[in-house]
Amino acid sequence: MKQKYERPTIRKMNSGLMNKFGSRTDLDPVKEIDGISVKNLVSDYGSPVFVLSEKQIRRNYQSAVRSFKTRYPKVQFAWSYKTNYLNAVCKIFHQEGSWAEVVSGFEYHKALNNGVLGNQIIFNGPDKKEADLILAIEKHSLIHIDHFDELYQLIRISERINKKAKVAIRVNFDTGVYPAWDRFGFNYENGQAWTAISKIIAAEKIDLVGLHCHIGTFMLSTSAYAVAAKKLCDLALRCKNEHQNSIQYLDLGGGFPSTNTLKGAYLPGVDTVPGIEEFAEAITTTILESGFSSDELPLLILESGRVLIDDAGYLIGSVIANKRLSDGRRATIMDFGMNVLFTSNWYNHKVTVAQDAGQYTEETVLFGPLCMNIDVIRESINLPLLETGDHVIVHKVGAYNMTQWMQFINMRPAVVLIDQHGKSHLIRKQETLEYLEMMEQLPDYLK
Ligand SMILES: *Cc1c(COP(=O)(O)O)cnc(C)c1O
């Protein structure tokens, strides 16, 4: 086979190409995803395109459930809709047995439309509209109260419609990780959480069935979860002892990290991030040792998002052009921008090329296609020399990108699911001008 031509270059020697973890394998080309070639995915669905692996989603889910269920008898996961609420994705989690965790009326309706039973929807968030609350009461959903104004509103509504609301409160506390997330829920240390609990128990039409927390996201400390679990257990036991009110479930929220590498981290995420079984161990040991009698152990609910889907998502893109910046650095312009890769704000994603490339690498700035100075996907990454039309894969992009993406300058790309048998399915079309203008209206005088 004829070798590919590469222009000659003069380059500074990089020392330390081999480190204590061995040589760099992240430069090897990745030519297929779950058995489908990147070339075919691009020719069938265009570029850029998001690809999700159903196999990996199910594997992640099952291993997370196993980590908890082998350590604690009663466990329930609830899929965090905002992490990725494409219906195909939600349906996979629901098929696996996951409930739904939603944070808005829109997400609540999405869960209902996906066939989730009302009593298997957890309704979180500071912004629940009156109509949403009424529906949630009628459907026996688990309403997690965020603030006193919501509590008073719920008391009014439940009395007016004469129906019982099933509620939990969200609690925030000092878990030893700073800055603490104290903007959601009721504070433990200053007594606010206990006050809320007492008010709920005094209210006739509201049943306090659970306690909830969600202490942060991409949490690297397992002990923070032990502290959180301990404090929730204390509240639950106090509820039982002082108010004869048994708490049926403790919801420890989400926040477990995926194996992405945070910006500024010295070592890659795969080598440093605790596995989900370490979080499971910290949480379940704490609950089991906190003093519940064995017939009164609460159900343990988890609302994991990113850890269950990040590594099942890929973004395939293509090189538009290469150029030299005025300071001599190499720049490569990709056909996807930071508007569809929101998590590039926090992560240095693994980026691989999708075809054979030369062995020489050069420090490169990866730009997106937007006509905006801030559209930088990566300030600096070592990549082989790429040519116009070459494909790259950005790895571990399954969480948050497909919900936080922003339509700007270009249409948002298609999303493809590869099923367990290696067949691809379009699960969200690429947007069109027609779709975008559907919401617009032109006043008569401008026609
Ligand atoms: C976003 C969110 C989750 C999921 O968080 P991850 O960090 O993705 O696991 C769970 N619960 C609540 C209340 C949330 O807001």
Side-chain angles (χ1 to χ4, degrees), residues 41-81:
L41 286 165
V42 169
S43 65
D44 290 352
Y45 302 104
S47 173
V49 59
F50 278 102
V51 178
L52 287 160
S53 160
E54 179 171 357
K55 216 189 255 177
Q56 190 61 32
I57 293 175
R58 290 187 190 269
R59 204 185 287 147
N60 290 345
Y61 182 82
Q62 289 161 10
S63 105
V65 169
R66 199 180 316 118
S67 294
F68 278 89
K69 280 209 170 153
T70 47
R71 291 172 167 87
Y72 191 81
K74 295 194 280 182
V75 178
Q76 179 62 53
F77 275 74
W79 175 239
S80 155
Y81 263 47

Side-chain angles (χ1 to χ4, degrees), residues 80 82-83 101 124 170 212 214 217 254-255 303-306 400:
S80 155
K82 75 171 187 293
T83 306
E101 184 273 326
N124 281 320
R170 177 160 174 177
H212 170 235
H214 173 60
T217 191
E303 304 170 341
S304 281
R306 78 172 75 236
Y400 295 102

Side-chain angles (χ1 to χ4, degrees), residues 48 315 318 320-321 323 332-342 344-345 366-377 404-413 430-431:
L315 176 59
S318 309
I320 294 175
K323 57 161 66 172
T332 297
I333 308 170
M334 301 301 308
D335 61 357
F336 57 88
M338 47 113 60
N339 60 318
V340 297
L341 199 60
F342 198 84
S344 64
N345 284 305
L366 273 191
F367 288 125
L370 306 179
C371 222
M372 284 270 288
N373 198 42
I374 58 163
D375 190 25
V376 181
I377 294 152
Q404 289 185 297
W405 53 0
M406 179 169 61
Q407 188 279 317
F408 181 56
I409 299 184
N410 289 325
M411 298 298 143
R412 284 175 286 197
Q430 183 186 15
E431 290 172 345

Side-chain angles (χ1 to χ4, degrees), residues 52 84-91 110 402 415 427-428:
L52 287 160
N84 189 323
Y85 44 56
L86 291 170
N87 288 336
V89 167
C90 297
K91 288 271 193 178
K110 223 169 190 312
M402 282 156 257
V415 184
I427 61 169
R428 192 177 193 272

Side-chain angles (χ1 to χ4, degrees), residues 1-19:
M1 199 177 70
K2 192 163 171 264
Q3 293 280 309
K4 212 167 169 180
Y5 171 76
E6 264 179 39
R7 64 173 169 79
T9 51
I10 298 174
R11 53 201 291 272
K12 191 175 90 190
M13 282 301 291
N14 282 317
S15 61
L17 283 176
M18 186 85 87
N19 66 20

